[in-house]
Amino acid sequence: MRHEQGASLDPVDWDEFRAQAHGMLDDMCDYLQQIRSRPVWQAAPEQVRRDFLRPLPARGRPLDEVHQQFMEQILPYTVGNPHPGFFGWVHGAGTPVGMLAEMLAAGLNVNLGGRDQVPLEVERQVIRWMADLCGFPAHASGVFVTGSSMANLLAVLVARHACLGDEVRQQGVRDRHALVAYAASSAHGCIAQAMEMSGLGRAQLRVIPVDRRHRMDLAALDAAVAADRAAGRRPFLVVATAGTVDVGAVDDLTAVADAAQRHRLWMHVDGAYGALAMLAPALRPLLKGLERADSLACDLHKWGQVPYDAGLLLVRDGAAHLATFSSAEQYLRRDSRGMAANSPWPCDLGPDLSRGFRALKAWFTLQVHGADQLGRSIDGSCQLARYLAGRILVQPELELLAPVTLNIVCFRHRDSGPEVDQLNAAIVADVQQSGLAAPSATTVNGQLAIRCAIVNHRTRQADIETLLRAVLDSGARLLRQRC
Ligand SMILES: *Cc1c(COP(=O)(O)O)cnc(C)c1O
């Protein structure tokens, strides 16, 4: 396919381009329709890796040739999260609908930093849907970001501003502030990182132990806050988790909200994947108290199945959110009419100025599938997790390492000797390399666990059986080899 020789990057022959475009769409429909027939994951051959060392081409190549390279060298070598046998990490599977919405968004190529355009209303509508779902009030605000790592960082910044006021925007963080935050030991690593990046420092995050159900120990929280106050520091933030990344536990959000109220702390909930359990009526009671949070981080690209990336920050007090980030640069001046109207803009609610139309794929997904179907898929993955836990309990070679609250099952293969961690790490690598299923490894209570996170809407009971068989086969083989 030829492109114009001048400065324009449009095709010379649109009919030819159209035919190529349809072929590319067909290839991706085939990929998704036939995903079960592929290995979940396979390592890329050296030759393929080498091809990615080629220098920047001065002269272009035909589109069909580059697409062919994509099909042969990129498509087969992803981690495979759209595959129903992918259990490794809390990754969403995406959907065919989301894929199309991505194409439409790319075609429009809108910049969602702001201005008077309807795509902003799409983002606001999705934010409002999510705020309503989570029980946030009408004056709540929100913004799409890459993911919960970013949303958690922004939440720390909003909480910091709510505590220190505009002074922190002018003067930065002063030592004498000595702000202290609290999160359970099960909190995601991005919380400590947010403390680093916000200038508060990782040492200002108190790590609260968890109880047997892997939930924040509230008595320990009370004691930590009291000790900090007695030492003249300023407790300002508690971060609860709805759906921990290791075992899928949910902190007691009502108790955390009570503690936050008692101690006058900003309550942030990292609901990266778990907050969407609100879509499943049977799971909603687990999240009681979420509606009392001051802010919430939530990903639509995990349980929401929206293609990457689509994270959200919601803030109960929209004015506090705006006050943290809005600025008065002249080139961003607002007006009551013309394209500079329709303020505030998403660029007032976070650090991003140029922003893609992430909201569109979320809007399509929520509209086409509806809250009920998405909720059924979320509930379905929790049912499969309980099924897997049940199968493990009756399998003498296996043992469960953590209670199953949502969709994550941590277990291991038993071993009489001291090499049980090595055995289970080897099983995880074996099963991944088999291409049959993809669990991951984590550490639970100091023991290496095979971690199976069921997030994928395509996963069925048969896929769970395939995983179990692969684990048992690998375990038996490794134990045989040892003697
Ligand atoms: C995935 C996850 C994160 C990080 O979110 P990203 O979207 O990957 O940036 C944070 N917290 C929890 C509990 C998560 O599951």
Side-chain angles (χ1 to χ4, degrees), residues 147-149 152 188 190 241 243 245 270 272-273 299 301-302:
S148 284
S149 303
N152 283 321
H188 194 275
C190 68
T241 305
V245 73
D270 178 5
Y273 87 85
D299 282 328
H301 56 220
K302 290 176 176 171

Side-chain angles (χ1 to χ4, degrees), residues 187-216:
H188 194 275
C190 68
I191 304 297
Q193 200 180 30
M195 290 294 287
E196 291 176 19
M197 291 189 289
S198 59
L200 298 170
R202 173 182 285 263
Q204 299 301 102
L205 178 68
R206 301 283 178 264
V207 178
I208 308 299
V210 293
D211 62 18
R212 282 210 320 280
R213 293 166 67 190
H214 297 257
R215 311 195 308 174
M216 190 191 297

Side-chain angles (χ1 to χ4, degrees), residues 285-300:
L286 281 171
L287 297 179
K288 187 90 193 71
L290 178 64
E291 72 287 350
R292 292 171 62 190
D294 292 301
S295 54
L296 169 69
C298 172
D299 282 328
L300 290 169

Side-chain angles (χ1 to χ4, degrees), residues 223-467:
V225 173
D228 281 317
R229 280 217 205 282
R233 290 182 281 261
R234 268 174 91 172
F236 83 112
L237 165 70
V238 59
V239 179
T241 305
T244 62
V245 73
D246 52 353
V247 304
V250 181
D251 285 332
D252 181 342
L253 300 180
T254 296
V256 174
D258 289 343
Q261 208 163 4
R262 213 162 44 240
H263 299 302
R264 297 184 310 281
L265 305 176
W266 182 279
M267 176 184 174
H268 173 67
V269 174
D270 178 5
Y273 87 85
L276 282 190
M278 289 301 285
L279 287 167
L283 301 173
R284 235 171 257 162
L286 281 171
L287 297 179
K288 187 90 193 71
L290 178 64
E291 72 287 350
R292 292 171 62 190
D294 292 301
S295 54
L296 169 69
C298 172
D299 282 328
L300 290 169
H301 56 220
K302 290 176 176 171
W303 249 350
Q305 314 294 345
V306 172
Y308 284 93
D309 46 34
L312 269 186
L313 170 69
L314 295 180
V315 181
R316 164 178 303 275
D317 176 357
H321 187 182
L322 192 61
T324 307
F325 298 108
S326 66
S327 69
E329 307 294 348
Q330 273 314 299
Y331 49 85
L332 294 175
R333 71 181 294 273
R334 311 302 156 88
D335 220 323
S336 55
R337 63 195 191 90
M339 290 162 71
N342 201 16
S343 199
W345 295 341
C347 69
D348 301 319
L349 300 172
D352 294 322
L353 178 53
S354 292
R355 307 170 66 248
F357 199 179
R358 294 189 181 99
L360 189 68
K361 58 197 172 184
W363 186 81
F364 261 89
T365 303
L366 290 163
Q367 292 221 93
V368 172
H369 295 292
D372 291 351
Q373 193 184 10
L374 290 168
R376 273 198 301 281
S377 139
I378 288 167
D379 196 43
S381 49
C382 293
Q383 285 177 27
L384 286 175
R386 288 196 291 276
Y387 173 80
L388 173 57
R391 293 281 284 110
I392 289 164
L393 287 173
V394 298
Q395 196 71 44
E397 298 91 334
L398 304 178
E399 64 180 322
L400 210 52
L401 291 184
V404 175
T405 306
L406 293 172
N407 59 330
I408 299 181
V409 183
C410 288
F411 65 105
R412 69 174 175 180
H413 199 289
R414 291 183 201 271
D415 185 2
S416 48
E419 288 157 21
V420 60
D421 282 359
Q422 282 138 283
L423 173 70
N424 281 281
I427 290 174
V428 167
D430 262 8
V431 175
Q432 288 176 354
Q433 286 186 325
S434 76
L436 293 169
S440 63
T442 188
T443 304
V444 176
N445 299 331
Q447 300 171 316
L448 191 129
I450 302 173
R451 173 164 164 279
C452 175
I454 306 166
V455 187
N456 194 316
H457 59 92
R458 300 186 174 102
T459 302
R460 306 194 285 242
Q461 204 161 298
D463 302 301
I464 302 292
E465 290 297 335
T466 302
L467 165 79

